[in-house]
Amino acid sequence: MFHSSQQAALEALDQFMPHAGEAYARSRNYEYGPEARINVSSLSSWVRLRLIPEWQLITAVLDHHTVSQASKFIDEVCWRTYWKGWLSRRPSVWQDYCTQLAKDQVTAGDLPRYVEVISAASGIECFDAWTRELIDTGYLHNHARMWFASIWVHTLQLPWTLGADFFLRHLLDGDAATNTLSWRWVAGLHTVGKTYLATADNISHYSKGRFNPQIKLATVPVDVTDSAPNPPAQPYERLAPIPSCKHVGLLLHEEDVSALSWLYDQAEVRATAGFIPQDAYQRHRITQSVFDFRHSCLCEASDGGAVVHTDLDAVVEWAVAAQLDLVLMAEPAVGIWDQVVLELRHGLQQKSIQLAFKRHWWDEHFYPHAQAGFFRFKKAIPAALDQLVK
Ligand SMILES: Cc1cc2nc3c(=O)[nH]c(=O)nc-3n(C[C@H](O)[C@H](O)[C@H](O)COP(=O)(O)OP(=O)(O)OC[C@H]3O[C@@H](n4cnc5c(N)ncnc54)[C@H](O)[C@@H]3O)c2cc1C
């Protein structure tokens, strides 16, 4: 369903384009099933990697629709930036999730429901269908993700961390910020006093009768207060300017494959390579198909010319062989790269090579606003759109 190429992404965008205006706002909540899904873009696997970055996606949509017609779609695209910005201001939420997950994983095998659920054998027809779709395609419609997470947390009463982990391992668009924070929202940890409870009527209505759950879904949310509440936002910090070094190498990675187009002219680059950290994917038990998809996308974005490494030592060897004194990267988002950054910085430092990051203007513009809720964040959208048309 999702091919690891820019052409496939652009074809999907073309196909979706007529639906990105008011039709999207009206119909996006309907889940017609994988065969009939024309009401949402299904672009997230590529947008996640910035094979189609947010600014390019919105620019393309505004060539066909007015801002007011496309406002719902633009909002949704900006939700991704909001979650990333929000987590960048509270990185301990990801670390706490990882710690809690490690604890929950120890006892997961003893939870009979967990084993049934992840094998698509929960006995709940809709839930098992979504599990199979997730495993087979690496994608779920947004409403199905909400229903799934709600049933997982509130009806089956399984730890939310295990559900978030199950998604992160299988989703092609799996992303630490959007995924962790959406699961926390469903569980009632993101917005105090707000949980998401799926109902049979809602599922039946928005699946157009494909599913009519007969089991009793939870009507009262579970208490998840054993998980840490939201910490206050850290002050927004700009990145340090890129040090002026003579021998600069550009390291592309799967967190932002668009970097070649905006980072290359930030310094005099003498060598370029790609890197997707296979160890980190294995540590987080992310499926091979997700890794392969991202690896192929990165290889394509590297323009065929740059070697794409999967091993950190090989990156350090590349930097040494190219006689670099600085390796420059697009700033990776908070998530599975946290540990990789520490290891990479250390490995390069041993060879007297610096590591520096650059944040795209899109993130620079939005992250300072990712302090509280989306409503306040959203007020920064018009200024970003002005920047796009300049
Ligand atoms: C429990 C749960 C877990 C989720 N985990 C992820 C995840 O790991 N990665 C991920 O990309 N999305 C995640 N989402 C958000 C959302 O479900 C997907 O982004 C969306 O379904 C992607 O499908 P689409 O491309 O057809 O979206 P469209 O409706 O066509 O939206 C266009 C683009 O906007 C962005 N977008 C849309 N909705 C959201 C949203 N709610 N939050 C953030 N960005 C959004 C995506 O980049 C998407 O490609 C999660 C939602 C829930 C409820």
Side-chain angles (χ1 to χ4, degrees), residues 233-255:
Q234 291 174 4
Y236 176 70
E237 277 181 27
R238 290 192 178 280
L239 292 179
I242 301 169
S244 49
C245 292
K246 265 200 176 146
H247 299 152
V248 180
L250 186 60
L251 189 61
L252 301 169
H253 56 87
E254 87 288 5
E255 288 283 298

Side-chain angles (χ1 to χ4, degrees), residues 297-366:
C297 288
L298 178 59
C299 287
E300 195 195 53
S302 304
D303 226 8
V307 176
V308 173
H309 300 288
T310 55
D311 172 57
L312 194 138
D313 292 339
V315 175
V316 177
E317 279 167 29
W318 158 77
V320 171
Q323 300 181 327
L324 303 179
D325 39 32
L326 176 74
V327 169
L328 179 61
M329 296 171 62
E331 181 191 34
V334 171
I336 73 165
W337 263 80
D338 287 7
Q339 180 71 19
V340 181
V341 165
L342 294 176
E343 291 166 2
L344 183 60
R345 194 183 295 285
H346 177 73
L348 291 170
Q349 244 164 19
Q350 305 274 74
K351 306 289 179 188
S352 308
I353 303 169
Q354 297 184 67
L355 178 65
F357 299 137
K358 179 86 185 157
R359 194 173 287 157
H360 190 271
W361 73 258
W362 180 268
D363 301 328
E364 281 276 1
H365 171 76
F366 278 113

Side-chain angles (χ1 to χ4, degrees), residues 150-354:
S150 174
I151 294 174
W152 179 292
V153 175
H154 302 299
T155 299
L156 298 171
Q157 303 197 347
L158 289 165
W160 72 269
T161 52
L162 293 178
D165 174 61
F166 185 54
F167 266 26
L168 195 66
R169 286 193 282 128
H170 290 281
L171 282 171
L172 288 177
D173 65 28
D175 153 49
T178 304
N179 190 54
T180 315
L181 301 176
S182 298
W183 274 85
R184 283 175 67 83
W185 172 75
V186 169
L189 285 160
H190 187 72
T191 314
V192 179
K194 269 201 178 169
T195 42
Y196 177 72
L197 283 172
T199 66
D201 281 352
N202 185 270
I203 295 173
S204 172
H205 176 78
Y206 283 102
S207 69
K208 288 272 180 198
R210 285 191 315 121
F211 299 114
N212 294 293
Q214 299 301 316
I215 66 141
K216 191 171 162 4
L217 300 180
T219 50
V220 178
V222 291
D223 179 9
V224 285
T225 41
D226 53 339
S227 289
N230 291 337
Q234 291 174 4
Y236 176 70
E237 277 181 27
R238 290 192 178 280
L239 292 179
I242 301 169
S244 49
C245 292
K246 265 200 176 146
H247 299 152
V248 180
L250 186 60
L251 189 61
L252 301 169
H253 56 87
E254 87 288 5
E255 288 283 298
D256 186 345
V257 303
S258 77
L260 198 59
S261 68
W262 59 269
L263 197 48
Y264 198 80
D265 56 5
Q266 298 291 319
E268 209 169 307
V269 173
R270 63 147 55 185
T272 305
F275 178 37
I276 172 164
Q278 191 156 23
D279 270 4
Y281 277 76
Q282 285 168 351
R283 252 195 319 266
H284 289 270
R285 301 189 306 146
I286 294 172
T287 57
Q288 190 64 37
S289 50
V290 171
F291 177 83
D292 290 344
F293 176 85
R294 295 186 186 171
H295 181 257
S296 299
C297 288
L298 178 59
C299 287
E300 195 195 53
S302 304
D303 226 8
V307 176
V308 173
H309 300 288
T310 55
D311 172 57
L312 194 138
D313 292 339
V315 175
V316 177
E317 279 167 29
W318 158 77
V320 171
Q323 300 181 327
L324 303 179
D325 39 32
L326 176 74
V327 169
L328 179 61
M329 296 171 62
E331 181 191 34
V334 171
I336 73 165
W337 263 80
D338 287 7
Q339 180 71 19
V340 181
V341 165
L342 294 176
E343 291 166 2
L344 183 60
R345 194 183 295 285
H346 177 73
L348 291 170
Q349 244 164 19
Q350 305 274 74
K351 306 289 179 188
S352 308
I353 303 169
Q354 297 184 67

Side-chain angles (χ1 to χ4, degrees), residues 16 24 28 40-44 47-48 57 73 76-77 79-80 83 139-142 145-146 149 167-168 171 173-175 178-179 182-183 185-186:
F16 173 68
Y24 176 80
R28 60 179 278 273
V40 291
S41 71
S42 302
L43 287 169
S44 52
V47 180
R48 157 70 178 85
L57 178 54
F73 186 75
E76 291 306 314
V77 172
W79 266 97
R80 162 180 302 287
W83 289 129
Y139 176 89
L140 282 182
H141 181 280
N142 183 57
R145 295 182 202 212
M146 290 163 61
F167 266 26
L168 195 66
L171 282 171
D173 65 28
D175 153 49
T178 304
N179 190 54
S182 298
W183 274 85
W185 172 75
V186 169

